[in-house]
Amino acid sequence: MLGKEAEVAERNTLAPVKMADEVQPDSSSLQILGERTSIPGSPAIARNDCSITPLTPSPSPRVEIRPRMSCPFSVVVAIDFGTTSSGYAFSFTQDSEAIHMMKRWEGGDPGVANQKSPTCLLLTPDLRFHSFGFAARDFYHDLDPEEARHWLYFDKFKMKIHSTSDLSMETELEAVNGRRVRAIEVFAHALRFFRQHALKEVKDQSSSVLEGEEIRWVITVPAVWRQPAKQFMREAAYLAGLISPECPEQLLIALEPEAASIYCRKLRLHQVIDLSLQPITNGLDADGSRPFDSSFRQAREQLRRSRHSRTFLVESGTGELWSELQTGDKYVVADCGGGTVDLTVHQIEQPQGTLKELYKASGGPYGAVGVDLAFENMLCQIFGEDFIQSFKAKRPAAWVDLTIAFEARKRTASPGRANALNISLPFSFIDFYKRQRGQSVEAALRRSNMNIVKWSSQGMLRLTQEAMNELFQPTINNIVKHIELLMAKPEVSGVRFLFLVGGFAESPMLQRAVQRALGRSCRIIIPHDVGLTILKGAVLFGLDPTVVRVRRSPLTYGVGVLNRFVEGRHPRDKLLIKDGREWCTDILDRFVSVDQSVALGEVVRRSYTPARVGQRKIIINIYCSATDDVTYISDPGVRKCGAITLDLPEPLPPTGAVGGAGAAASERREIRATMQFGDTEIKVTAVDVISNRSVKASIDFLSN
C-alpha cells in the first residue's frame, strides 16, 4: 500500500478577479516567471490543480551538500515504542559510551527481566490517563468484570498506524470494550508517561540542572512505515510535550532496523550467538547432545544474572565482529518485532565506518502478533467465533488474562519440545461458555475434532507440538520468504551477515527456521540482549545521526507542473492553451526517484513563481508513486500525499523604482523550494528570492 506520502495542492487563498470569457488560475498556483495569469478556454480547462511550471525546467535535480551542525544537546533519551513492549534508555553526551537503561518496572512478570514494559494503556471511564504497561495490565485485571466494561484498555495499538491507509489526526482506536478514542491522544498519553519517567531518571543521575532544550529525544518507528505514520509520531510527541513544534530538530525519528544496525557495529564476539556455527539435525546439535537453542538459553541466563546493572558500556570504536568486515561488505538486519518484520540492507564505508543503505527498506505485518491472531482463530474454530467475540465484549479483563497466559507460554515454544504447552483458561471463560452454550469446554473440544489440542482436568488447554507449529508456521514462513526474496535481489547478492534482532528473534522456532533456510549462505548473528538492540541503537543514533550516510528513497516524489506541449509526444487531453501558448498539464516534476540513493544532507532545489501579483500564500501539492515509471500525476498509482504551505512576506520595492518595467520586475518573485531526503524524514525549506527572507514551509502528510 502506498499510503499518503507527498503532494502539491493549490488552494484559493484570494478570490479570483472575474473576467468575461476567461478562467483565472487558482490564486495559490505557481507559474513560470513573466507569464500572464489569464487562461482562455482550452481542452484542459477543467484541470487547475497543476498550474505550476519550473523556472528552469531540468531533467536532473540540482544537489547541494548541506553542512551538519554539531550536537548541542547534553543528553539523548530514546523511546523504543514497540507493538508488544516499549522502553526507554538514555546517555549523556559527555559520557557517550555508557547507555543507561530504565529501572525495572513495577508489577513485572516474576522470573522475567523487565527491561521493557507491555505496550498497553488504561484510561478511566471519563477518558483520563490512568496507567501504562504492567500497572495498566494489572489494574485492569483486578477490576470487577462489570466495572471493567466501562474502562478503556488499549493493547498492541501501534499496528493501527501501519495498517490505516488514510491515516489522519482524526483516526480512531478501539479499546477492548469497543469505545473509540482519537489515536493521536492514545499515543500522546503513552509518550507523556515515558517523558515523565525518563526525565525523573535523567535528573536522578545528573549533577547539573537540565533544561528542556538540552534533551534530544529519539522515537523509533518501523522502516517500512510511510511518511504519514512518521509524521503522526512527531505530532503525538508535540501533543505529549516532549518537544515544541518551534524546535523540531530536538526530536529524531529513528528507523528500527537502522538503529539495530548502528548498535551491531559495537558488538563484541562474546555478546553474540552465531547460529551458523551450530549445524542442526531435527532440532539437535550435530552430535545429538542438546537442543540447538541451548547456547541461546545459556546466554539469556547469563544476561539475566548480570542485569542488576542497568548501565551498558559500548565500544568507543567498532566491535571485534565489525573488524572482520571490509569496505564494501554487505549485511542485512532483520528486525522481527511484535507487529512487523523490517529488513534493511547496509554496506560498510571505511575508513570512517559509516553505513550506506543499499536497498530500500522492505517488510510487512509479519510480527509475533501473527501467532497471537492464529491462537485466537484456533479458539474461534473450537468454541465458535460468535462466542469468542461475545466473551471479549462481556468479559474484557478475562480475555486480556487469556492473551497474557498464551504470551507467556508462547515464549517457551521450541522446535525440540516433546511435551505439550499448557494454557490456563480463566474460570470466567469456562463458566461463561457453560452459561452461553449449555455444555462444558471439554465437550466443545471433543465436538471440534481438533485433535492437536487436548483438555486437562486442571482447567488447561494442552497444545501439542503440532498445534504450536500450526500457530507459528504461517508467520515464520512469511518472514523467511521475505528475507529470501530480499537476498535474491542483485543489489543484495554476496551478503556476509544476517543480524536477527527484535523481540520475536528470541523465539527458538524462528531461529531454527531462519537457520535452516539461510545458514549456508551467510552468517546468522543474534545479539544476546536482542530485545534491547533497537533501544540501544536509537541512543547511539541520537548521539550521532550522521552514522547512516546514504539512504534509499522508498518512493518517487514530485510536483505537478506545466511544460511546453509537444504534438505527438503529449496526449491531447493534457493540452492547455494559455495566452496563445500551448502547455501540457499534469506533468510530474520529480524531486527524487524510488530507490534512488540520497546522501545525508543532500537537498533538491526547485524554483517556481506565484501566479498572481501580490499573492500572500501558496500551497504546493506533492505527489508520490511506488514506481518510477510515471509521467503524469494522473497516472495509475500516483497519489497526492502532502502539501507544502508557503507564507509570502510583502516584498520591498527596489531602490529608485517609480513604476514601469522596474516595478513590474519587482512584482515577479521567485520561490526556491528545497527538499531534503537524506534523513529519516523529508524536510522542506523555501526562500523568497526578492526579499531574501526565508519562507515558512511545512509538509503535511496527514491532511486528507
Side-chain angles (χ1 to χ4, degrees), residues 418-434:
N419 54 330
L421 279 175
N422 293 328
I423 315 273
S424 296
L425 280 183
F427 172 76
S428 60
F429 185 99
I430 299 167
D431 180 60
F432 195 70
Y433 188 79
K434 192 154 194 174

Side-chain angles (χ1 to χ4, degrees), residues 284-298:
L284 298 176
D285 278 356
D287 61 3
S289 61
R290 64 189 193 279
F292 94 101
D293 62 317
S294 62
S295 68
F296 186 78
R297 290 173 182 274
Q298 289 166 11

Side-chain angles (χ1 to χ4, degrees), residues 149-214:
R149 291 170 60 183
H150 302 289
W151 287 66
L152 286 81
Y153 183 80
F154 298 90
D155 189 20
K156 300 183 175 73
F157 49 88
K158 180 182 170 186
M159 279 301 288
K160 174 79 173 180
I161 305 308
H162 176 70
S163 59
T164 303
S165 59
D166 57 347
L167 183 66
S168 75
M169 298 291 279
E170 302 308 316
T171 297
E172 291 183 329
L173 290 175
E174 188 175 303
V176 173
N177 66 356
R179 285 182 67 185
R180 301 179 72 83
V181 178
R182 284 172 70 217
I184 194 82
E185 291 171 14
V186 175
F187 277 79
H189 279 308
L191 290 175
R192 200 175 292 119
F193 168 83
F194 278 114
R195 174 182 176 272
Q196 290 165 355
H197 259 261
L199 286 181
K200 183 178 184 305
E201 275 212 67
V202 168
K203 284 171 182 170
D204 286 349
Q205 295 215 25
S206 173
S207 54
S208 59
V209 179
L210 286 170
E211 301 296 329
E213 61 271 16
E214 289 183 73

Side-chain angles (χ1 to χ4, degrees), residues 112-316:
V112 177
N114 302 309
Q115 292 293 128
K116 291 166 84 175
S117 180
T119 307
C120 43
L121 178 83
L122 184 64
L123 301 182
T124 63
D126 59 353
L127 304 182
R128 286 181 296 111
F129 174 82
H130 180 272
S131 48
F132 182 88
F134 288 113
R137 196 185 76 179
D138 296 345
F139 186 89
Y140 187 62
H141 164 274
D142 293 338
L143 284 170
D144 175 83
E146 279 305 309
E147 192 184 357
R149 291 170 60 183
H150 302 289
W151 287 66
L152 286 81
Y153 183 80
F154 298 90
D155 189 20
K156 300 183 175 73
F157 49 88
K158 180 182 170 186
M159 279 301 288
K160 174 79 173 180
I161 305 308
H162 176 70
S163 59
T164 303
S165 59
D166 57 347
L167 183 66
S168 75
M169 298 291 279
E170 302 308 316
T171 297
E172 291 183 329
L173 290 175
E174 188 175 303
V176 173
N177 66 356
R179 285 182 67 185
R180 301 179 72 83
V181 178
R182 284 172 70 217
I184 194 82
E185 291 171 14
V186 175
F187 277 79
H189 279 308
L191 290 175
R192 200 175 292 119
F193 168 83
F194 278 114
R195 174 182 176 272
Q196 290 165 355
H197 259 261
L199 286 181
K200 183 178 184 305
E201 275 212 67
V202 168
K203 284 171 182 170
D204 286 349
Q205 295 215 25
S206 173
S207 54
S208 59
V209 179
L210 286 170
E211 301 296 329
E213 61 271 16
E214 289 183 73
I215 299 172
R216 164 170 268 166
W217 295 88
V218 182
I219 298 177
T220 64
V221 302
V224 290
W225 268 17
R226 297 177 293 272
Q227 290 294 344
K230 293 173 188 173
Q231 185 189 333
F232 181 91
M233 290 302 284
R234 181 170 281 282
E235 296 293 341
Y238 292 151
L239 190 59
L242 257 69
I243 61 162
S244 156
E246 281 71 51
C247 303
E249 67 284 349
Q250 251 193 285
L251 171 67
L252 292 176
I253 300 294
L255 308 182
E256 287 164 0
E258 227 179 62
S261 177
I262 291 166
Y263 177 66
C264 287
R265 294 166 74 238
K266 303 286 187 180
L267 287 172
R268 307 289 299 272
L269 288 175
H270 69 271
Q271 294 173 315
V272 302
I273 297 140
D274 189 341
L275 288 188
S276 337
L277 303 178
Q278 301 172 17
I280 50 169
T281 334
N282 297 325
L284 298 176
D285 278 356
D287 61 3
S289 61
R290 64 189 193 279
F292 94 101
D293 62 317
S294 62
S295 68
F296 186 78
R297 290 173 182 274
Q298 289 166 11
R300 199 153 57 176
E301 277 306 311
Q302 184 183 349
L303 186 68
R304 192 171 289 163
R305 286 195 296 271
S306 68
R307 280 229 174 121
H308 61 272
S309 167
R310 293 182 299 107
T311 299
F312 288 81
L313 295 176
V314 294
E315 291 284 293
S316 56

Side-chain angles (χ1 to χ4, degrees), residues 530-583:
V530 65
L532 300 174
T533 303
I534 291 161
L535 187 49
K536 294 177 188 174
V539 174
L540 295 173
F541 176 68
L543 291 165
D544 179 16
T546 66
V547 65
V548 181
R549 201 189 60 79
V550 178
R551 289 184 174 88
R552 296 273 176 167
S553 175
L555 295 170
T556 294
Y557 290 99
V559 302
V561 299
L562 301 173
N563 268 342
R564 296 295 166 88
F565 187 86
V566 178
E567 194 69 51
R569 189 171 81 184
H570 296 138
R572 295 292 298 178
D573 64 348
K574 300 293 183 190
L575 175 63
L576 180 80
I577 298 173
K578 192 176 181 184
D579 284 345
R581 290 185 183 174
E582 294 187 342
W583 295 93

Side-chain angles (χ1 to χ4, degrees), residues 442-461:
E442 187 179 3
L445 254 175
R446 277 199 305 269
R447 201 180 68 253
S448 72
N449 291 324
M450 191 167 283
N451 299 324
I452 56 176
V453 182
K454 312 289 184 189
W455 175 249
S456 157
S457 57
Q458 296 173 318
M460 297 186 197
L461 289 178

Side-chain angles (χ1 to χ4, degrees), residues 241-538:
L242 257 69
I243 61 162
S244 156
E246 281 71 51
C247 303
E249 67 284 349
Q250 251 193 285
L251 171 67
L252 292 176
I253 300 294
L255 308 182
E256 287 164 0
E258 227 179 62
S261 177
I262 291 166
Y263 177 66
C264 287
R265 294 166 74 238
K266 303 286 187 180
L267 287 172
R268 307 289 299 272
L269 288 175
H270 69 271
Q271 294 173 315
V272 302
I273 297 140
D274 189 341
L275 288 188
S276 337
L277 303 178
Q278 301 172 17
I280 50 169
T281 334
N282 297 325
L284 298 176
D285 278 356
D287 61 3
S289 61
R290 64 189 193 279
F292 94 101
D293 62 317
S294 62
S295 68
F296 186 78
R297 290 173 182 274
Q298 289 166 11
R300 199 153 57 176
E301 277 306 311
Q302 184 183 349
L303 186 68
R304 192 171 289 163
R305 286 195 296 271
S306 68
R307 280 229 174 121
H308 61 272
S309 167
R310 293 182 299 107
T311 299
F312 288 81
L313 295 176
V314 294
E315 291 284 293
S316 56
T318 54
E320 296 156 309
L321 196 66
W322 224 248
S323 62
E324 296 183 35
L325 293 169
Q326 299 172 348
T327 302
D329 277 354
K330 310 168 191 174
Y331 64 95
V332 172
V333 176
D335 171 21
C336 306
T340 53
V341 61
D342 223 359
L343 307 177
T344 291
V345 188
H346 278 160
Q347 187 173 40
I348 307 289
E349 294 187 314
Q350 298 289 17
Q352 66 270 41
T354 51
L355 307 176
K356 175 180 180 180
E357 187 181 17
L358 272 189
Y359 189 76
K360 64 178 181 176
S362 60
Y366 316 127
V369 169
V371 183
D372 303 338
L373 294 174
F375 177 63
E376 185 177 329
N377 289 337
M378 184 179 276
L379 292 177
C380 289
Q381 287 176 49
I382 297 170
F383 302 108
E385 187 175 351
D386 55 338
F387 169 76
I388 294 297
Q389 295 308 321
S390 173
F391 180 69
K392 285 167 76 173
K394 302 274 178 61
R395 299 284 187 273
W399 172 254
V400 170
D401 275 357
L402 179 52
T403 60
I404 292 167
F406 176 70
E407 175 70 28
R409 303 309 291 152
K410 179 180 80 174
R411 291 173 180 272
T412 67
S414 63
R417 189 184 180 99
N419 54 330
L421 279 175
N422 293 328
I423 315 273
S424 296
L425 280 183
F427 172 76
S428 60
F429 185 99
I430 299 167
D431 180 60
F432 195 70
Y433 188 79
K434 192 154 194 174
R435 290 186 191 200
Q436 293 276 312
R437 293 288 200 262
Q439 61 175 329
S440 70
V441 163
E442 187 179 3
L445 254 175
R446 277 199 305 269
R447 201 180 68 253
S448 72
N449 291 324
M450 191 167 283
N451 299 324
I452 56 176
V453 182
K454 312 289 184 189
W455 175 249
S456 157
S457 57
Q458 296 173 318
M460 297 186 197
L461 289 178
R462 291 176 57 77
L463 273 61
T464 63
Q465 182 64 39
E466 191 183 348
M468 293 307 288
N469 284 340
E470 203 165 286
L471 296 181
F472 274 84
Q473 278 329 116
T475 298
I476 286 177
N477 289 345
N478 269 324
I479 293 173
V480 171
K481 181 181 170 188
H482 224 79
I483 298 173
E484 286 178 327
L485 284 172
L486 178 69
M487 296 283 215
K489 304 274 183 195
E491 308 94 312
V492 189
S493 63
V495 161
R496 290 274 313 271
F497 290 95
L498 168 63
F499 289 96
L500 271 190
V501 302
F504 198 25
E506 291 187 21
S507 166
M509 304 280 280
L510 176 62
Q511 290 175 21
R512 184 179 74 162
V514 173
Q515 186 188 27
R516 278 186 160 166
L518 301 156
R520 286 178 175 80
S521 58
C522 64
R523 286 177 65 185
I524 300 165
I525 305 292
I526 304 177
H528 282 177
D529 51 348
V530 65
L532 300 174
T533 303
I534 291 161
L535 187 49
K536 294 177 188 174

Side-chain angles (χ1 to χ4, degrees), residues 647-652 686-696:
D647 293 321
L648 303 179
E650 182 81 44
L652 298 169
V687 174
D688 176 27
V689 175
I690 288 177
S691 62
N692 200 28
R693 287 169 62 182
S694 290
V695 181
K696 281 187 289 183

